[in-house]
Amino acid sequence: MIKNISVIEGDGIGPEIIRQTMKVLNSIAIKYGHNFHYKNILAGSKAIEKFGDPMPEETIDNCFKSDAVLFGCIGDPKHDHNPRGMRPEDGLLKLRKKMNLYCNIRPVVVYPNLDKSPIKKELLNEVDFIIYRELTGGIYFGEKGRCKNGEKAYDYCIYSKSEIEKIGEMAFKAALFRKKKVTLVDKANVLETSRLWREVIKKISLDYSDVSLDFLYIDNASMQIIMNPKKFDIILTDNMFGDILSDESSVLTSSVGLLPSASIGDHKSMFEPIHGSYPQAKGKNIANPLGCILSGSMMLEYFGMHQEKNLLEKAVKHSIEKKICTQDIIDSKFSSTTEEVGNYIEKYILNQ
Ligand code: IPM
Ligand code: MN
């Protein structure tokens, strides 16, 4: 198969983790006779510096023309105080919105031989859930602004029935192939948007009699994820709660550097690790490339390349078992560099 992939390295450790991901994807292409054509395009701080815009039209056009977008990470302290719309993060949000990537899928899997999580080991065996995070609505995208000479600020949280239905359907469909359980996380004791989420999701659940549905308030869910993470299968939630819960959940796995995601729209999709740009590690060859590599694996699945995805994931598991890992997930005395991890996985795939 030929696939055209737009690549946005982004900021901080982005270029380093993307380099390893492309290396690994290329080994899959060699193994299975595919042709992956990459086009590097700019977003975030590099685009601000070159075009005065964190998400130039040209970048958006390229994403629309390609079969998928592979995204590194975005954010640079240099631009933290830019005006609204001009921060690197604004570029990412604009792209998600323009491409209508409303469903962000964030799997949380614990690898048995990692022990960097501060959570008790006995709570972690067999943790395997997925967060379905709504990605193009809610407080992220509602009207925002200042009044009273800048001394008052507001961010509106707005959801429509159709926005909730779209991601709701995806979450229930996914549950059918798993443990058949959806947990809606919200704050329905306080927020009107959450009440609408409950109404809409309850209605959808009537079409999925095999799937059980339960509800948790976000405050309680944050606690349950640490105290009893095994009980979750699919967590369905809004944009803001999903953002927070996914970083929290990554603590179960040992590192935020391990978690991939797929951002799915009706026609286009993007694949992005959940972590930020980790500017302190930029250029040091210490960042964990696995969140990005596993996002690549979610891209393979999206292309319908199931064997390819399985092999890539087997290679990642193998690298973890053999402790070819960056310092965030094993003792730094024995750790490998970003590049060594990529090389190991590449070699493993080519030797299969
Ligand atoms: C994420 C990130 C982004 C978000 C930032 C960089 C805007 O934290 O993908 O989780 O908040 O969605
Ligand atoms: Mn986040």
Side-chain angles (χ1 to χ4, degrees), residues 126-152:
E126 294 162 35
V127 166
D128 176 5
F129 60 87
I130 308 185
I131 299 173
Y132 272 64
R133 170 190 177 194
E134 198 289 327
L135 202 62
T136 49
I139 198 167
Y140 271 64
F141 291 96
E143 193 190 321
K144 32 188 103 264
R146 296 273 182 128
C147 45
K148 294 250 178 212
N149 292 328
E151 288 177 7
K152 243 187 187 182

Side-chain angles (χ1 to χ4, degrees), residues 255-270:
S255 170
V256 71
L258 274 173
L259 260 56
S261 89
S263 302
I264 308 289
D266 287 327
H267 306 293
K268 293 285 163 189
S269 294
M270 180 159 90

Side-chain angles (χ1 to χ4, degrees), residues 71 73-75 87-93 96 104 106 133 135 140-141 239-240 242-244 246-247 261 263 272-277:
F71 187 95
C73 45
I74 219 164
R87 293 171 44 143
E89 290 84 349
D90 293 320
L92 173 59
L93 299 182
R96 287 174 179 169
N104 183 230
R106 301 188 156 185
R133 170 190 177 194
L135 202 62
Y140 271 64
F141 291 96
N239 202 343
M240 184 69 160
D243 180 47
I244 299 167
S246 52
D247 271 36
S261 89
S263 302
E272 42 176 326
I274 79 151
H275 58 73
S277 60

